[in-house]
Amino acid sequence: MRHHHLLLRCRAMPLLPLPPRTLRVSGGLVHHRLIRCHGMPIPRRTPGVSGGRLFASLPLPPPLQSPREVHVWYLCPDELNNQSQLNMYEELLSPSEREYADSMKATMLRKDVVLSRALLRTTLSRYTGCKIDPRSFEFKKNKFGKPEVLWPLDDSTAEQPLHFNISHTTSLIACGIAINAHIGIDVEEKKRNTTKNILSLARRYFTPSEVDSLAEISDSDAQRKEFLKLWTLKEAYVKALGMGFSGAPFSTFSIMLETSKGIRISKTSNASRPGYDHLSENWLFTLAELNSSHYMSVCIEDSSRSQGPEDSPAPVGLKVWKTVPFVEDTLVSGTEAVKLIA
Amino acid sequence: MPAFVLQLYIAMCLQSDPECPALLDSRIHLEVANVISSRSSVSFRSQKMSFVSIRSRPSSLRFKICCSATGEAQAKKETVDKVCMIVKKQLAVPDGTPVTAESKFSELGADSLDTVEIVMGLEEEFNITVDETSAQDIATVQDAADLIEKLVTEKTA
């Protein structure tokens, strides 16, 4: 995806539909109507959409209170089949994002790209006081290809930079947000099967201690699930670090799930060769089960000064919402839908 | 000169030319599609080399083959086909969707776990080891095939 060198030009716009959509005011209530490209207004009562108010403003989320707090917003592509809703999400995309969506061979993949970008843009809009139009965000890539927001130079939100990361499976797309801390997120379907044998994969890509801990599990299904948990944690770390798969090969660090201090990471001996100095261990992890169907790992930078081998890191404050942008948000953390594993 | 006779000669010469081991692919004689012949030289485009010309000496029936390749040789079709097969299997690509050398893994829906499984499958099939830096640069089937050939060549060198 090309990245834009242009500075953000439209900012602090109220989230209202732009022309050619009409805006009618009657008796103090503002009705927004979505006009399709061929000029036919959609019926006000759209099935599946509460009140038909497709352009309701995004509600303000609770603020991120510390760099240890992570907010995750996710959606389920299979449940979003309303074409006018999907068209609306597509309108939020930049031309290059639309081009990328169009390059997808399968319709499902195209839909995933649209939803993924719409989720990111609407989430960023929420966390900038709902004052920035989702359409106006611009992105750049760091030198390793990790996407970041290209903040306008004079915007106050750049002082407390928002960090984001996205992960998708066919059935769930998640966007993690943190403030002042680099973040990585990875989701995986619990029932996912690998084509290769689990221990072969682990021997090829994981560390010896991780292989040993997997080999101890005799039940093949339990072993597969443990592999997936480790996989998502390692992916989340690599994504948080932002240096790509080769910047932190999986064989250079071990993740330990069952320590008394929660999930810990440690570099392996082959990470002491030159080129891997950037592999740091001051990262916080959290692993959860979503809807009993997915594993989700989140990794954020730990900038606290009290980091020492004896101190247990404070747990990551995790809040999770299931969202249908512009329609409905449901806080699911603290319910059965989000079960913390570690 | 009739095309089939030309093919036969080329095949014979290819067999005996020690300077171009890459020409020992017996399929090349089928690729003499566009033959432009003049009095003393015949040229054709082939899939493997960018340009091959055959010069005939007036007094001899045998041809001397000179080949000049411009740029890097692309991976053999065989390699590309094997990569396509491994990719199709890993990503469970439906029969209607074509997978070709230009296919991008991301466009076929490969995520990171799929990618490492594909790489592992390629390592097993071709008996090579792909390091993370090289793996990261693979975006298409062609990239994978080119890398495989490079690694196989390095291995046998």
Side-chain angles (χ1 to χ4, degrees):
Chain A
M1 198 162 45
R2 298 228 171 94
H3 77 259
H4 305 273
H5 292 278
L6 303 170
L7 287 177
L8 189 64
R9 274 185 297 226
C10 47
R11 48 190 167 288
M13 281 176 65
L15 198 65
L16 288 176
L18 300 174
R21 298 169 188 102
T22 60
L23 190 67
R24 281 193 311 149
V25 181
S26 70
L29 271 176
V30 177
H31 298 273
H32 306 288
R33 287 176 126 214
L34 173 64
I35 310 289
R36 282 199 204 119
C37 322
H38 48 270
M40 296 284 293
I42 53 151
R44 192 177 294 191
R45 291 239 162 255
T46 310
V49 177
S50 52
R53 294 191 57 194
L54 294 169
F55 266 111
S57 297
L58 293 165
L60 232 100
L64 286 154
Q65 284 164 331
S66 81
R68 286 240 177 103
E69 201 170 320
V70 174
H71 290 185
V72 176
W73 295 74
Y74 75 85
L75 50 75
C76 300
D78 295 335
E79 295 171 11
L80 300 176
N81 296 306
N82 181 318
Q83 195 54 50
S84 51
Q85 222 172 67
L86 293 172
N87 292 344
M88 177 179 56
Y89 295 149
E90 193 164 336
E91 306 245 331
L92 302 178
L93 270 51
S94 70
S96 66
E97 286 170 344
R98 230 171 293 204
E99 214 178 280
Y100 183 61
D102 290 337
S103 74
M104 292 294 139
K105 302 280 182 253
T107 324
M108 291 258 298
L109 293 178
R110 187 181 188 285
K111 182 180 163 188
D112 286 349
V113 170
V114 171
L115 288 176
S116 163
R117 301 312 295 173
L119 175 65
L120 174 61
R121 287 173 172 275
T122 52
T123 308
L124 287 172
S125 186
R126 293 178 204 270
Y127 287 88
T128 48
C130 294
K131 287 184 293 191
I132 301 181
D133 188 317
R135 277 168 283 218
S136 49
F137 286 101
E138 293 191 315
F139 302 94
K140 59 177 179 155
K141 288 194 178 168
N142 76 2
K143 63 178 175 173
F144 300 99
K146 181 177 183 182
E148 296 168 350
V149 182
L150 183 62
W151 298 105
L153 290 175
D154 60 344
D155 198 298
S156 61
T157 53
E159 286 162 15
Q160 273 208 311
L162 282 185
H163 294 261
F164 70 87
N165 197 233
I166 302 183
S167 175
H168 23 81
T169 63
T170 43
S171 46
L172 193 145
I173 305 176
C175 177
I177 294 267
I179 200 158
N180 258 338
H182 291 282
I183 176 175
I185 180 172
D186 195 55
V187 283
E188 202 50 80
E189 283 183 348
K190 262 176 68 179
K191 65 177 201 274
R192 185 194 181 131
N193 262 312
T194 57
T195 53
K196 302 281 170 214
N197 168 272
I198 294 289
L199 286 178
S200 310
L201 272 172
R203 282 188 200 106
R204 174 63 184 86
Y205 292 106
F206 285 10
T207 65
S209 63
E210 287 167 338
V211 174
D212 289 342
S213 74
L214 284 170
E216 274 169 25
I217 305 170
S218 49
D219 177 68
S220 63
D221 196 57
Q223 190 190 70
R224 183 188 56 82
K225 286 184 177 148
E226 195 70 11
F227 173 86
L228 289 176
K229 289 177 197 168
L230 281 174
W231 180 272
T232 58
L233 285 163
K234 291 169 88 85
E235 265 289 289
Y237 174 65
V238 170
K239 291 173 81 177
L241 219 54
M243 292 181 195
F245 200 49
S246 61
F250 278 13
S251 57
T252 56
F253 62 94
S254 285
I255 302 258
M256 290 152 294
L257 274 171
E258 309 279 317
T259 78
S260 54
K261 300 186 174 84
I263 304 170
R264 305 231 65 166
I265 181 171
S266 67
K267 285 164 74 157
T268 56
S269 53
N270 65 343
S272 52
R273 58 183 201 251
Y276 295 118
D277 302 324
H278 55 266
L279 283 184
S280 42
E281 293 173 354
N282 58 324
W283 295 83
L284 300 171
F285 291 87
T286 193
L287 174 67
E289 212 179 280
L290 273 184
N291 299 326
S292 304
S293 57
H294 289 78
Y295 291 129
M296 175 179 75
S297 285
V298 182
C299 173
I300 56 170
E301 206 174 358
D302 181 15
S303 47
S304 83
R305 266 169 274 140
S306 64
Q307 183 72 12
E310 293 312 310
D311 299 331
S312 35
V316 170
L318 179 70
K319 288 199 169 74
V320 186
W321 287 264
K322 178 171 174 176
T323 179
V324 179
F326 299 121
V327 178
E328 191 176 45
D329 303 322
T330 317
L331 180 68
V332 292
S333 45
T335 73
E336 274 300 291
V338 180
K339 278 185 259 178
L340 281 181
I341 298 173
Chain B
M1 178 167 285
F4 73 89
V5 176
L6 187 60
Q7 284 163 20
L8 213 59
Y9 272 103
I10 293 168
M12 282 164 55
C13 298
L14 286 172
Q15 294 290 341
S16 59
D17 188 346
E19 283 166 12
C20 294
L23 299 178
L24 289 178
D25 186 337
S26 61
R27 284 178 298 170
I28 198 158
H29 70 278
L30 297 172
E31 288 156 3
V32 184
N34 306 304
V35 180
I36 308 142
S37 67
S38 67
R39 197 169 289 269
S40 60
S41 76
V42 178
S43 349
F44 65 95
R45 284 201 182 283
S46 92
Q47 193 182 6
K48 288 174 61 68
M49 298 157 287
S50 60
F51 195 82
V52 174
S53 69
I54 303 136
R55 292 194 193 81
S56 69
R57 285 174 220 180
S59 58
S60 154
L61 285 176
R62 291 202 52 195
F63 294 95
K64 183 180 163 127
I65 295 169
C66 316
C67 66
S68 66
T70 53
E72 277 182 359
Q74 282 210 313
K76 292 201 278 280
K77 186 175 183 300
E78 229 176 286
T79 310
V80 169
D81 288 344
K82 277 190 187 161
V83 175
C84 286
M85 191 189 71
I86 290 171
V87 168
K88 269 191 198 165
K89 190 169 148 213
Q90 174 66 36
L91 303 179
V93 178
D95 286 331
T97 310
V99 178
T100 65
E102 289 74 42
S103 298
K104 284 194 183 157
F105 292 158
S106 59
E107 287 170 14
L108 293 169
D111 64 14
S112 51
L113 183 49
D114 286 316
T115 307
V116 304
E117 291 199 271
I118 290 170
V119 170
M120 203 165 136
L122 297 176
E123 289 179 331
E124 286 165 359
E125 175 71 27
F126 295 95
N127 199 17
I128 48 173
T129 304
V130 181
D131 64 83
E132 278 84 355
T133 316
S134 312
Q136 210 169 241
D137 293 333
I138 298 175
T140 63
V141 168
Q142 187 68 58
D143 293 340
D146 291 342
L147 177 64
I148 289 163
E149 298 235 327
K150 175 168 166 272
L151 292 172
V152 167
T153 313
E154 280 170 12
K155 216 178 152 210
T156 54

